[in-house]
Amino acid sequence: MTKTLQVFKSRGLYKNLICNGRSHHFRVSELFQPLSVIPRNAKLKNLEDTSLSQKLLVNCGIINSRSNGMFALLPLGQRVIDKLTAIIDEEMRHIGAQKLLLPLLTSGHLWKKTGRWESTGEELMTTSDRHKNEHVLSPTHEEAITSLMSDIYPLSYRQLPLHLYQITSKFRDESRPRFGLLRCKEFLMKDLYTFDCSEAAASVTYNKIGSAYDRIFQRIGIPYLKVAGDSGNIGGSLSHEYHYQAAIGEDTLLLCNGCDFSTNATLVSSSDDAFCTRCGGQLNKTLAIEVGHTFLLGTKYSAPLKACYQNDKGKPELLHMGCYGLGVSRIMAAAVEVLSQGKCIRWPWILAPFKICIITPKVSFLKRQQGSRCIVLGGSSGTCR
């Protein structure tokens, strides 16, 4: 055992480098990490559409741009996503949520039934098959999951509340993709859908999910803001947003300097010289990146799609729903945007693709000519803490 590993063992850290009795290691020379080297005199275009996180993630071989608004997630980036997914999965298990996988394509007639085919506008990506059937490349899956619940009736009231979630690619036809993973055409999102027997029960579930989201962001370790949100095209009676403060943020938030009230500026008629409705304090503006959003939907989707449960009298009643999103790939990019400076990329400790890099000593002229050998150690997703 090398001196370095002996030190780790003496400090009780060696066990973190061992997974199932085997050390998981990679040589740096073996990692697929295509670096982007920009010539000194190169003229760069569209700098106003490029963020710090985009430059760092591309230049450091974490992601790779494949076309306008489309990015490949490279092995180091996948390790970050795997670790973030492990945190999300753990917190979802804690509240009894079950993971599933819905098709990326949703039948267009479902979106027409809920009215979102028209209201979403040009951002909605659609396609038709050879039989002229219209489909949506889903930006969210409210229609798909509600249709599933409608088709499996009768669902007993004893099976409620029900929490179902997935982590999949979503699509949005952005007119102007920018800032890398912060505003792109395909992105990775975690979406959770809840089903309850009443409005009161759905409110209890909403608060429980909110607490789970708080724990997720607390574990990531970056200061975040939770504000009253705009329900927008998804709809519902109550909404909250999760944000990281950043100069390139596209959302304007209003924060009270006298109490803990905070809201998205879109909910205030005039954000100039606005005052808190709770304590009368001044509302201060800040820019932020939205990384999560929760909605209390009521029967907005269950009514048009006829998604019901069977009550204790054997009669059908409409399900009361909630939906809860986390921008998984956006959280990765926003973390880099918030923490990094200049040319140095910084990760939250819990999401770092690798935590330890060991450089062995040079022991001979031949090895000195070849350069030092660098071995990176780290556990697989969920085991390297």
Side-chain angles (χ1 to χ4, degrees), residues 292-349:
H293 207 148
T294 61
F295 303 83
L296 188 59
L297 298 174
T299 59
K300 174 179 171 59
Y301 295 90
S302 57
L305 298 177
K306 298 180 174 55
C308 298
Y309 72 97
Q310 194 174 66
N311 64 21
D312 56 354
K313 296 180 175 60
K315 303 296 184 181
E317 288 192 36
L318 289 175
L319 288 162
H320 289 259
M321 294 176 56
C323 66
Y324 311 80
L326 285 176
V328 178
S329 53
R330 181 178 280 197
I331 288 174
M332 180 178 76
V336 172
E337 188 72 36
V338 171
L339 296 178
S340 302
Q341 295 180 351
K343 297 181 180 180
C344 299
I345 190 169
R346 295 183 62 193
W347 296 103
W349 174 255

XYZ file of all heavy atoms in Angstrom, residues 292-349:
447
model
N -36.208 24.562 -10.095
C -37.277 23.672 -9.664
C -38.592 24.415 -9.620
O -38.624 25.640 -9.468
N -39.703 23.667 -9.768
C -41.022 24.311 -9.782
C -42.060 23.294 -9.322
O -42.050 22.137 -9.764
C -41.356 24.801 -11.192
C -42.281 25.966 -11.213
N -42.246 26.945 -12.191
C -43.292 26.333 -10.384
C -43.170 27.866 -11.959
N -43.824 27.495 -10.879
N -42.958 23.711 -8.431
C -44.023 22.834 -7.941
C -45.383 23.469 -8.206
O -45.533 24.694 -8.171
C -43.867 22.565 -6.436
O -43.962 23.809 -5.715
C -42.512 21.914 -6.140
N -46.401 22.619 -8.459
C -47.736 23.098 -8.819
C -48.787 22.262 -8.096
O -48.712 21.035 -8.099
C -47.990 22.971 -10.321
C -47.001 23.683 -11.204
C -45.794 23.076 -11.535
C -47.277 24.949 -11.726
C -44.876 23.712 -12.365
C -46.376 25.588 -12.553
C -45.170 24.977 -12.874
N -49.765 22.932 -7.513
C -50.952 22.262 -6.991
C -52.031 22.384 -8.065
O -52.586 23.457 -8.284
C -51.406 22.922 -5.680
C -52.512 22.219 -4.907
C -52.111 20.795 -4.523
C -52.881 23.022 -3.658
N -52.320 21.289 -8.749
C -53.105 21.331 -9.984
C -54.602 21.201 -9.790
O -55.380 21.597 -10.669
C -52.632 20.210 -10.927
C -51.182 20.278 -11.392
C -50.840 19.019 -12.182
C -50.946 21.525 -12.234
N -55.035 20.607 -8.694
C -56.462 20.339 -8.533
C -56.939 19.333 -9.567
O -56.333 18.273 -9.755
N -58.008 19.662 -10.292
C -58.556 18.747 -11.302
C -58.367 19.283 -12.726
O -59.103 18.908 -13.630
C -60.067 18.510 -11.042
O -60.760 19.775 -11.101
C -60.291 17.875 -9.681
N -57.380 20.172 -12.900
C -57.151 20.781 -14.213
C -56.965 19.733 -15.307
O -57.435 19.894 -16.442
C -55.930 21.702 -14.164
C -55.523 22.264 -15.533
C -54.320 23.179 -15.435
C -53.789 23.547 -16.815
N -54.775 24.226 -17.662
N -56.278 18.638 -14.991
C -56.015 17.605 -15.995
C -56.927 16.394 -15.817
O -57.307 15.745 -16.795
C -54.551 17.163 -15.936
C -53.601 18.276 -16.312
C -53.091 19.145 -15.355
C -53.237 18.485 -17.643
C -52.241 20.184 -15.704
C -52.386 19.519 -18.006
C -51.893 20.370 -17.020
O -51.056 21.400 -17.374
N -57.272 16.078 -14.584
C -58.108 14.893 -14.355
C -59.526 15.091 -14.875
O -60.175 14.120 -15.298
C -58.137 14.548 -12.860
O -58.605 15.645 -12.092
N -60.020 16.318 -14.882
C -61.384 16.559 -15.375
C -61.511 16.334 -16.879
O -62.351 15.534 -17.317
C -61.842 17.970 -14.989
N -60.694 16.977 -17.729
C -60.853 16.752 -19.169
C -60.463 15.350 -19.609
O -60.976 14.845 -20.617
C -59.939 17.809 -19.805
C -58.939 18.145 -18.758
C -59.672 18.018 -17.464
N -59.558 14.705 -18.861
C -59.104 13.366 -19.251
C -59.813 12.271 -18.461
O -59.476 11.094 -18.595
C -57.589 13.259 -19.087
C -56.786 14.221 -19.976
C -55.286 14.098 -19.698
C -57.066 13.967 -21.454
N -60.749 12.678 -17.603
C -61.599 11.729 -16.860
C -60.784 10.720 -16.052
O -60.999 9.498 -16.128
C -62.559 11.011 -17.814
C -63.536 11.946 -18.517
C -64.457 11.186 -19.459
C -65.541 12.101 -20.048
N -64.996 13.300 -20.719
N -59.855 11.243 -15.266
C -59.043 10.393 -14.372
C -59.692 10.379 -12.993
O -59.742 11.409 -12.305
C -57.620 10.923 -14.289
N -60.204 9.240 -12.599
C -60.980 9.138 -11.360
C -60.425 8.035 -10.462
O -59.659 7.166 -10.889
C -62.449 8.836 -11.670
S -63.292 10.117 -12.643
N -60.848 8.094 -9.208
C -60.612 6.992 -8.275
C -61.986 6.529 -7.781
O -63.009 7.208 -7.970
C -59.725 7.423 -7.112
C -60.404 8.343 -6.119
C -60.963 7.840 -4.952
C -60.506 9.713 -6.363
C -61.593 8.676 -4.040
C -61.135 10.559 -5.466
C -61.676 10.030 -4.300
O -62.318 10.865 -3.414
N -62.024 5.375 -7.137
C -63.276 4.827 -6.613
C -63.344 5.124 -5.119
O -62.474 4.686 -4.352
C -63.338 3.328 -6.873
C -64.704 2.705 -6.673
C -64.710 1.239 -7.100
O -64.033 0.414 -6.478
N -65.446 0.913 -8.154
N -64.348 5.897 -4.707
C -64.425 6.282 -3.293
C -64.950 5.128 -2.427
O -65.183 4.021 -2.924
C -65.289 7.541 -3.126
C -66.747 7.318 -3.527
O -67.240 6.187 -3.576
N -67.461 8.411 -3.791
N -65.139 5.428 -1.130
C -65.519 4.360 -0.199
C -66.942 3.850 -0.427
O -67.351 2.839 0.153
C -65.366 4.842 1.241
C -66.159 6.102 1.537
O -66.743 6.669 0.585
O -66.198 6.518 2.712
N -67.690 4.530 -1.267
C -69.043 4.068 -1.625
C -69.068 3.390 -2.994
O -70.140 3.060 -3.515
C -70.014 5.239 -1.609
C -70.207 5.867 -0.233
C -71.177 7.022 -0.280
C -71.467 7.578 1.090
N -70.272 8.074 1.785
N -67.882 3.217 -3.593
C -67.796 2.566 -4.886
C -68.122 3.471 -6.060
O -68.301 2.981 -7.187
N -68.180 4.783 -5.821
C -68.492 5.748 -6.870
C -67.223 6.434 -7.372
O -66.278 6.641 -6.608
C -69.474 6.805 -6.344
C -70.779 6.232 -5.804
C -71.586 5.544 -6.889
C -72.934 5.052 -6.353
N -73.734 4.364 -7.388
N -67.208 6.827 -8.662
C -66.027 7.517 -9.191
C -65.990 8.978 -8.767
O -67.018 9.665 -8.754
C -66.195 7.382 -10.708
C -67.670 7.270 -10.922
C -68.204 6.540 -9.724
N -64.803 9.452 -8.409
C -64.554 10.863 -8.109
C -63.256 11.275 -8.772
O -62.324 10.469 -8.904
C -64.473 11.101 -6.602
C -65.803 11.000 -5.873
C -65.705 11.517 -4.446
O -64.952 12.496 -4.221
O -66.362 10.930 -3.565
N -63.182 12.542 -9.174
C -61.985 13.036 -9.854
C -60.781 13.051 -8.919
O -60.896 13.404 -7.742
C -62.230 14.446 -10.392
C -63.173 14.576 -11.584
C -63.410 16.054 -11.906
C -62.610 13.856 -12.811
N -59.630 12.678 -9.459
C -58.372 12.744 -8.722
C -57.901 14.189 -8.609
O -58.042 14.981 -9.550
C -57.303 11.908 -9.427
C -57.461 10.395 -9.347
C -56.630 9.718 -10.434
C -57.043 9.886 -7.962
N -57.343 14.530 -7.461
C -56.724 15.839 -7.259
C -55.214 15.666 -7.395
O -54.613 14.812 -6.743
C -57.089 16.399 -5.887
C -58.522 16.830 -5.791
N -58.920 18.152 -5.876
C -59.657 16.097 -5.640
C -60.222 18.226 -5.780
N -60.714 16.993 -5.628
N -54.623 16.491 -8.248
C -53.235 16.257 -8.666
C -52.289 17.380 -8.244
O -52.688 18.494 -7.942
C -53.176 16.109 -10.192
C -53.879 14.895 -10.750
S -53.852 14.880 -12.557
C -52.076 14.985 -12.896
N -51.029 17.037 -8.261
C -49.944 18.000 -8.137
C -48.826 17.554 -9.059
O -48.708 16.366 -9.381
N -48.013 18.489 -9.540
C -46.829 18.120 -10.321
C -45.647 18.925 -9.820
O -45.782 20.072 -9.382
C -47.053 18.321 -11.826
S -47.266 20.024 -12.346
N -44.462 18.302 -9.897
C -43.280 18.839 -9.233
C -42.056 18.567 -10.104
O -41.701 17.408 -10.344
C -43.101 18.173 -7.860
C -44.375 18.157 -7.022
C -45.364 17.190 -7.254
C -44.583 19.101 -6.039
C -46.541 17.171 -6.503
C -45.749 19.092 -5.274
C -46.723 18.126 -5.515
O -47.883 18.113 -4.776
N -41.437 19.626 -10.597
C -40.312 19.460 -11.520
C -38.985 19.897 -10.928
O -38.913 20.851 -10.144
N -37.939 19.201 -11.318
C -36.556 19.596 -11.024
C -35.774 19.549 -12.328
O -35.775 18.530 -13.025
C -35.895 18.651 -10.013
C -36.304 18.762 -8.552
C -35.606 17.683 -7.732
C -35.989 20.146 -7.991
N -35.109 20.649 -12.673
C -34.269 20.672 -13.865
C -32.932 20.025 -13.563
O -31.999 20.693 -13.086
N -32.811 18.737 -13.818
C -31.621 17.986 -13.405
C -30.374 18.497 -14.120
O -29.361 18.835 -13.483
C -31.821 16.478 -13.652
C -30.564 15.696 -13.281
C -33.020 15.969 -12.851
N -30.411 18.562 -15.452
C -29.240 19.066 -16.178
C -29.031 20.551 -15.902
O -27.896 21.038 -15.888
C -29.401 18.825 -17.683
O -30.634 19.345 -18.169
N -30.106 21.288 -15.641
C -29.974 22.711 -15.333
C -29.331 22.916 -13.966
O -28.544 23.858 -13.775
C -31.334 23.398 -15.385
C -31.252 24.889 -15.101
C -32.596 25.574 -15.197
N -32.959 25.856 -16.579
C -33.902 26.729 -16.917
N -34.566 27.377 -15.977
N -34.191 26.944 -18.186
N -29.645 22.067 -12.995
C -29.011 22.168 -11.678
C -27.505 21.997 -11.813
O -26.713 22.729 -11.188
C -29.599 21.121 -10.711
C -31.027 21.509 -10.310
C -28.726 20.971 -9.469
C -31.740 20.470 -9.476
N -27.070 21.036 -12.638
C -25.629 20.837 -12.844
C -24.987 22.100 -13.397
O -23.957 22.566 -12.894
C -25.382 19.669 -13.796
C -23.903 19.412 -14.063
S -23.566 17.995 -15.146
C -23.995 18.689 -16.740
N -25.593 22.685 -14.440
C -25.023 23.885 -15.052
C -25.099 25.078 -14.109
O -24.149 25.864 -14.006
C -25.760 24.193 -16.358
N -26.226 25.234 -13.401
C -26.383 26.363 -12.492
C -25.401 26.284 -11.336
O -24.896 27.318 -10.866
C -27.820 26.413 -11.973
N -25.103 25.079 -10.864
C -24.123 24.919 -9.790
C -22.755 25.427 -10.228
O -22.063 26.135 -9.479
C -24.040 23.449 -9.373
N -22.363 25.072 -11.445
C -21.085 25.553 -11.981
C -21.129 27.067 -12.171
O -20.158 27.771 -11.862
C -20.765 24.843 -13.318
C -19.542 25.458 -13.982
C -20.550 23.356 -13.079
N -22.244 27.578 -12.646
C -22.392 29.023 -12.865
C -22.230 29.797 -11.565
O -21.574 30.846 -11.523
C -23.767 29.309 -13.474
C -23.978 30.731 -13.918
C -23.192 31.086 -15.164
O -23.034 30.221 -16.055
O -22.729 32.247 -15.242
N -22.804 29.297 -10.490
C -22.801 30.004 -9.215
C -21.457 29.882 -8.492
O -20.974 30.858 -7.899
C -23.939 29.469 -8.321
C -23.827 30.020 -6.906
C -25.288 29.818 -8.924
N -20.842 28.721 -8.554
C -19.655 28.461 -7.738
C -18.335 28.809 -8.419
O -17.344 29.088 -7.739
C -19.620 26.986 -7.322
C -20.750 26.496 -6.425
C -20.580 25.005 -6.147
C -20.781 27.274 -5.117
N -18.297 28.783 -9.745
C -17.018 28.876 -10.454
C -16.607 30.323 -10.706
O -17.443 31.240 -10.715
C -17.091 28.118 -11.779
O -17.428 26.763 -11.566
N -15.300 30.482 -10.930
C -14.736 31.783 -11.255
C -13.665 31.616 -12.316
O -12.874 30.666 -12.260
C -14.138 32.460 -10.022
C -15.157 32.818 -8.949
C -14.505 33.477 -7.750
O -13.293 33.520 -7.636
N -15.338 34.010 -6.858
N -13.630 32.571 -13.272
C -12.576 32.545 -14.290
C -12.530 31.240 -15.046
O -13.540 30.769 -15.567
N -11.354 30.621 -15.085
C -11.156 29.378 -15.821
C -11.234 28.150 -14.918
O -10.966 27.032 -15.362
C -9.797 29.404 -16.523
C -9.661 30.511 -17.569
C -8.304 30.472 -18.237
C -8.173 31.580 -19.286
N -6.826 31.558 -19.948
N -11.581 28.350 -13.668
C -11.595 27.247 -12.705
C -13.023 26.761 -12.466
O -13.874 27.542 -12.028
C -10.979 27.684 -11.382
S -9.257 28.202 -11.511
N -13.258 25.508 -12.749
C -14.573 24.925 -12.521
C -14.635 24.395 -11.095
O -13.702 23.765 -10.603
C -14.855 23.799 -13.546
C -16.310 23.351 -13.465
C -13.910 22.618 -13.368
C -16.721 22.446 -14.619
N -15.728 24.696 -10.406
C -15.927 24.247 -9.033
C -17.256 23.514 -8.939
O -18.247 23.921 -9.542
C -15.914 25.434 -8.066
C -14.589 26.162 -7.974
C -14.672 27.278 -6.940
N -14.953 26.745 -5.614
C -15.317 27.510 -4.576
N -15.473 28.807 -4.740
N -15.551 26.966 -3.397
N -17.259 22.430 -8.153
C -18.453 21.611 -7.968
C -18.879 21.625 -6.507
O -18.031 21.731 -5.622
C -18.185 20.153 -8.355
C -17.852 19.915 -9.785
C -16.614 19.678 -10.312
C -18.762 19.881 -10.885
N -16.706 19.487 -11.667
C -18.013 19.609 -12.054
C -20.146 20.050 -11.005
C -18.587 19.505 -13.309
C -20.721 19.946 -12.253
C -19.947 19.672 -13.395
N -20.168 21.448 -6.240
C -20.555 21.091 -4.871
C -19.898 19.745 -4.543
O -19.829 18.859 -5.401
C -22.082 20.947 -4.956
C -22.481 21.627 -6.219
C -21.320 21.540 -7.148
N -19.389 19.602 -3.340
C -18.644 18.394 -2.981
C -19.436 17.130 -3.282
O -18.897 16.144 -3.794
C -18.276 18.445 -1.498
C -17.636 17.201 -0.969
C -18.193 16.252 -0.170
C -16.290 16.757 -1.219
N -17.305 15.256 0.100
C -16.122 15.535 -0.527
C -15.233 17.269 -1.962
C -14.924 14.825 -0.552
C -14.043 16.562 -1.974
C -13.895 15.356 -1.279
